[in-house]
Amino acid sequence: MSAANISSASAPAAAPASVRVRAPGKINVSLRVGPLRPDGYHGVASVYLAVSLFEEITATVTGEPGITVTVDSDGPLQVPVGGIPLGPDNLAARAARALADYADNPTGVHLHITKRVPVAGGMGGGSADAAAALVACDALWNTKLSREELAGIASGLGADVPFSLLGGIAVGLGVGDRLTPAISKTPLHWVLVASDAGLSTPAVYGALDTLRGEQQLQAAEPEDVDPAVLAAMRSGNARDLAAVISNDLQAAALRLAPELGALLSTGERLGALAGMVSGSGPTVAFLTEDAAAASALEAALRAEGHRALAVEGPVAGARLAAAVAD
C-alpha cells in the first residue's frame, strides 16, 4: 500500500497516539561470505551480536494520510545524518508502508528517527530503524501481530532487519535472514570506533569479488559458522573469542578504506584483545577483557582523537520504550 493511500482515520481507542521504540545496532562477530550467486547476492554464515548502541524512533499519529520522516542524531559518536533519505526510500518509511497492509485502520504517521548507530557503518543502523518502525506502527495501529509475523515482514525489507527485531545473539544463514538464536552466559565488552565516512555495502562485496578474482580464490558457499565462535560466546570467555573472530569482508573494506588498518593496529596497541571491521565497515569493533578494560580503551582512543564508545552485548531487539495516550 502506498503512503498516499493510507487512510487518515482515527486510531483505534486502545492504541496510543505516540510511541517510542529502541532497536540495537549489531556486530558481526564472525562473517563467512560465499561467492557471488546468479541472483546477485552472496550467501553468508554469520554470528550476529546486538550491542548497547540504540537507534530510536518516535512514531506519532497524524491527521493527514501518509508517512513522513525526520532525522536527527545524538550520542558520543556524533553520527552525521545529512545523506539519509527522508522520502519513501527511507527504510523505516518502507517498513511502515509494509505494515499498513496488515492494519484495519492505518492512520497517517510521522516517524522521527534519532540516529546513534553510524550511517553506512556496517552495524545495521538502517535495519534497526526499520525494525523499530515495525514495532512502533504495530502499537500505533493496534495490528497485534506476533513477533514471528513481524519477522516475516522484516525479511522482505532487508537481510539484517529480522535480527534487529530479534536481538541477542543469533546465527544467520542464507543472506543472513535465516536466524537461529544462540546464547552467552556473560556480557561481552567492546569498543566501537566510528569513521568520518561510510562505506557502501554493495561496493565492499564487489571489492571482495575483485580480490578473490585477483588471487584466484574459489570461495565455497558457507553452510555454517565456526563452532569455536559459538563455544567462546557461550562461555563468555573474551580471550577465547578474540582468537577466533573473523570477517571475510575485512580485506575488501581495507582496500576501500586503507586507513582502517592503522586504526586496527592502534586499538590493539592500546590494549584491545582483538579488533575487526564490523560487517562491511567502516566501523571498527575492538573486543576487551571486561567493562573496565573497555572503559580504559575508550578513553585511550578518544585521547588520540577517535570517536570511540564502549558497548556491551547481547541486548534485546526492538522494544517499546514509551507510549503516550491520546
Side-chain angles (χ1 to χ4, degrees):
M1 179 181 294
S2 70
N5 290 331
I6 294 178
S7 166
S8 60
S10 298
S18 180
V19 297
R20 181 164 50 88
V21 174
R22 298 198 314 167
K26 56 85 182 170
I27 295 171
N28 295 80
V29 178
S30 173
L31 179 57
R32 293 174 169 173
V33 179
L36 181 65
R37 304 188 317 202
D39 63 4
Y41 290 93
H42 296 74
V44 303
S46 182
V47 179
Y48 294 113
L49 174 69
V51 297
S52 56
L53 180 61
F54 296 94
E55 297 283 87
E56 188 172 283
I57 280 187
T58 301
T60 304
V61 170
T62 62
E64 299 295 326
I67 299 163
T68 56
V69 178
T70 53
V71 180
D72 68 7
S73 69
D74 68 9
L77 292 184
Q78 304 167 10
V79 176
V81 298
I84 296 175
L86 301 181
D89 290 339
N90 183 280
L91 193 54
R94 287 174 51 200
R97 288 199 305 275
L99 187 67
D101 288 336
Y102 297 82
D104 292 332
N105 293 291
T107 66
V109 65
H110 178 71
L111 303 174
H112 181 74
I113 304 171
T114 299
K115 298 291 297 181
R116 298 187 182 95
V117 176
V119 178
M123 290 190 64
S127 297
D129 295 338
L134 288 175
V135 173
C137 291
D138 176 64
L140 282 186
W141 297 334
N142 203 25
T143 55
K144 298 180 180 178
L145 295 183
S146 68
R147 278 277 159 163
E148 291 73 17
E149 289 169 320
L150 289 176
I153 300 171
S155 65
L157 296 166
D160 288 342
V161 184
F163 178 71
S164 298
L165 274 173
L166 177 67
I169 301 170
V171 173
L173 301 177
V175 294
D177 58 338
R178 290 179 8 226
L179 299 175
T180 302
I183 61 171
S184 175
K185 290 182 179 179
T186 58
L188 294 162
H189 298 274
W190 303 76
V191 175
L192 306 174
V193 180
S195 295
D196 291 333
L199 280 176
S200 159
T201 297
V204 175
Y205 275 92
L208 174 64
D209 295 333
T210 299
L211 279 171
R212 286 173 168 173
E214 292 171 353
Q215 298 168 7
Q216 297 184 335
L217 295 176
Q218 297 295 322
E221 192 70 19
E223 297 182 356
D224 207 347
V225 300
D226 183 351
V229 174
L230 294 177
M233 296 184 80
R234 278 195 301 270
S235 70
N237 189 312
R239 289 189 176 274
D240 286 350
L241 182 61
V244 292
I245 62 175
S246 65
N247 178 5
D248 281 358
L249 291 178
Q250 180 161 303
L254 290 173
R255 168 168 282 197
L256 297 176
E259 67 277 7
L260 297 179
L263 174 57
L264 287 164
S265 297
T266 296
E268 294 180 7
R269 170 176 60 82
L270 293 174
L273 296 178
M276 66 188 306
V277 173
S278 178
S280 58
T283 305
V284 170
F286 293 105
L287 179 61
T288 65
E289 184 81 48
D290 51 28
S295 180
L297 179 59
E298 176 193 297
L301 285 163
R302 284 183 168 272
E304 296 202 6
H306 298 287
R307 289 185 290 136
L309 178 67
V311 298
E312 67 177 39
V315 299
R319 292 294 184 272
L320 191 68
V324 178
D326 222 344

